Amino acid sequence: MPMLDEETVHPAVRTVAYWDEYAPWYRLWLEHTDYHHGIKDLLAGLVRPGWRVIDIGGGSGVLAIPLARLGCRVTVVEPSEAMRAYLRDETVRTGATAVRVIPSSWEDVPVEGVSGFDLAVACNSLHLTRLGTRESLSRIFTARPARVLVVSELEIPFDPGGDGDPLYGLAGSGSFLAENSFRYHSTEEALRHLALKVRHGQDHPSEKEFLESLVREDGHFVRKRWAIVRWLHIRRTDE
């Protein structure tokens, strides 16, 4: 699969309004496809109990909740009110009390207020900011966390020893194949999802092509998709 870049990102998905509307679909996707399995395993091998972790664009808590259950104190930066509502539901359901929320876009968070974290996590979120990945990553470095984990299906613009922050170097990197399928309970539900893409002007197949792409599996209508997920573990060089 070719590596995508930020030019492929539709402007609609950079808006909070889009994610407020898309949140139920995101939750449906999470309920039926464990896209984040490899990322959770990566974090489980990296973090230690008591760490302070900031999860940038943490959505409904798909990583924040597991991190809290590993003993971390997690701060989630999430601008979408609908996503934050799902996060609140999950913290109540799981008893993950060590999660606090900053209801803001990352580019609007005062950096001086989020300094001193042991780990900053950004999973498929930096390219959705108004700043883009490079500038958003630079803001993370300005906050001086001990470690940074960036996860993306897009190219991650980090050049250790180049024009990046000299205090940070690459501690590890890798990639894995993740299932990115959507599972619907009915064709009507699938078509409502397609209609959202049409409303926001996103690239989409025709209705006929969309329906023909669905396969029956375990009582669901499935649109099979896979993604190469890349990650960089970046660490301060002065520690």
Side-chain angles (χ1 to χ4, degrees), residues 18-28 80 82-83 86 196:
Y18 173 86
W19 287 99
D20 281 339
E21 184 177 2
Y22 192 76
W25 297 105
Y26 182 81
R27 192 177 196 182
L28 175 70
S80 165
M83 285 291 196
Y86 287 140
L196 180 147

Side-chain angles (χ1 to χ4, degrees), residues 119-188:
L119 174 67
V121 178
C123 178
N124 284 322
S125 59
L126 299 186
H127 66 279
L128 300 177
T129 64
R130 297 189 305 273
L131 298 175
T133 301
R134 186 180 299 276
E135 291 302 317
S136 291
L137 186 56
S138 179
R139 289 196 93 236
I140 294 175
F141 295 151
T142 302
R144 292 291 181 253
R147 300 163 186 83
V148 182
L149 182 67
V150 185
V151 182
S152 182
E153 295 176 27
L154 307 182
E155 182 178 3
I156 304 170
F158 177 67
D159 180 19
D163 59 358
D165 192 303
L167 278 182
Y168 285 90
L170 188 63
S173 64
S175 64
F176 54 89
L177 189 65
E179 188 180 1
N180 197 21
S181 304
F182 242 102
R183 288 170 167 81
Y184 306 99
H185 299 101
S186 66
T187 55
E188 290 77 15

Side-chain angles (χ1 to χ4, degrees), residues 21-98:
E21 184 177 2
Y22 192 76
W25 297 105
Y26 182 81
R27 192 177 196 182
L28 175 70
W29 174 68
L30 285 181
E31 288 173 352
H32 295 292
T33 300
D34 194 8
Y35 173 96
H36 296 85
H37 178 80
I39 307 164
K40 293 174 188 175
D41 285 348
L42 188 63
L43 286 167
L46 176 63
V47 303
R48 299 291 180 269
W51 274 18
R52 294 180 61 232
V53 180
I54 184 166
D55 184 1
I56 298 167
S60 59
V62 65
L63 298 181
I65 300 299
L67 283 166
R69 297 179 75 173
L70 288 168
C72 298
R73 292 170 291 161
V74 187
T75 296
V76 176
V77 178
E78 177 51 56
S80 165
E81 182 177 355
M83 285 291 196
R84 295 196 303 269
Y86 287 140
L87 174 59
R88 286 193 296 271
D89 290 346
E90 284 299 297
T91 56
V92 171
R93 185 182 68 81
T94 61
T97 57

Side-chain angles (χ1 to χ4, degrees), residues 29 32-33 179-187 189-190 193 209-226:
W29 174 68
H32 295 292
T33 300
E179 188 180 1
N180 197 21
S181 304
F182 242 102
R183 288 170 167 81
Y184 306 99
H185 299 101
S186 66
T187 55
E189 184 177 60
H193 188 202
E209 291 171 331
F210 182 71
L211 291 174
E212 288 177 346
S213 72
L214 302 178
V215 297
R216 291 301 302 269
E217 185 180 277
D218 298 329
H220 292 83
F221 295 86
V222 185
R223 189 161 190 239
K224 286 283 190 178
R225 296 188 302 173
W226 297 85

Side-chain angles (χ1 to χ4, degrees), residues 192-209:
R192 289 199 299 274
H193 188 202
L194 178 64
L196 180 147
K197 293 178 178 293
V198 173
R199 282 199 306 277
H200 287 277
Q202 292 176 271
D203 292 336
H204 61 275
S206 68
E207 182 176 310
K208 181 176 183 294
E209 291 171 331

